[in-house]
Amino acid sequence: ILNNVNQILSEAIIQEKIFLKDHGEKSLRTALLLVRQAIREADALKGYPLFATSDIRRFADCLKKYEQSLIQLSREIISLDAKDIELLENINDFNLKTIEIIGTVNAYDSLCQLENKKPNLHILKLRDVARDAVIAATRIFSVLKNQLFAKENPDAFLEGNRMALKMLRDQVQH
């Protein structure tokens, strides 16, 4: 039975690692089923006088804690995935609104040229700021996703974020 429990737990750990990479529901479900199967197998050890009841209980408690930890971890990952989607939607919305601003300024610039009028330089500058804002926001998101989450490197995130914000500040000041 112990060898069986060991095999089941090894398979559960493999499925957990797959879940950590792909965040797939199937790998999570499989990992949880395997842990629950290991808990049932551990309970079956009670029928063998070779093992102390207290040891079996502690072993089963450890397996149950592992199950609860896996459930909590999956909730956190699912929550992060939802935030990631929300962030993508917000960035997409920001990009669409910025493109709309750029289009409006372009139309204003074209109209001024057609009417042989001098365009307001502040309005034309808004187009440049909008373009740079898109670049900076994209860079911040990329740094956030790649350095902070994927590589778990807060220093690289802070440096990349600082550079993107500096670029945006420099553009606004000029």
Side-chain angles (χ1 to χ4, degrees), residues 89-120:
E89 289 170 350
N90 287 334
I91 286 175
N92 188 46
D93 188 46
F94 175 78
N95 287 342
L96 290 173
K97 287 179 181 175
T98 304
I99 289 168
E100 186 179 323
I101 290 170
I102 292 169
T104 301
V105 173
N106 285 342
Y108 165 76
D109 190 23
S110 295
L111 183 63
C112 286
Q113 287 178 12
L114 286 173
E115 294 177 355
N116 205 21
K117 292 182 182 178
K118 184 176 180 184
N120 183 319

Side-chain angles (χ1 to χ4, degrees), residues 94 129 131-144 156-174:
F94 175 78
V129 170
R131 284 181 185 143
D132 289 341
V134 168
I135 293 167
T138 302
R139 183 178 279 171
I140 289 169
F141 175 70
S142 174
V143 167
L144 176 71
F157 164 72
L158 291 172
E159 178 60 22
N161 196 29
R162 185 189 64 73
M163 289 173 48
L165 290 174
K166 182 183 180 311
M167 181 188 84
L168 187 58
R169 261 190 241 106
D170 290 347
Q171 179 61 34
V172 170
Q173 290 174 354
H174 289 109

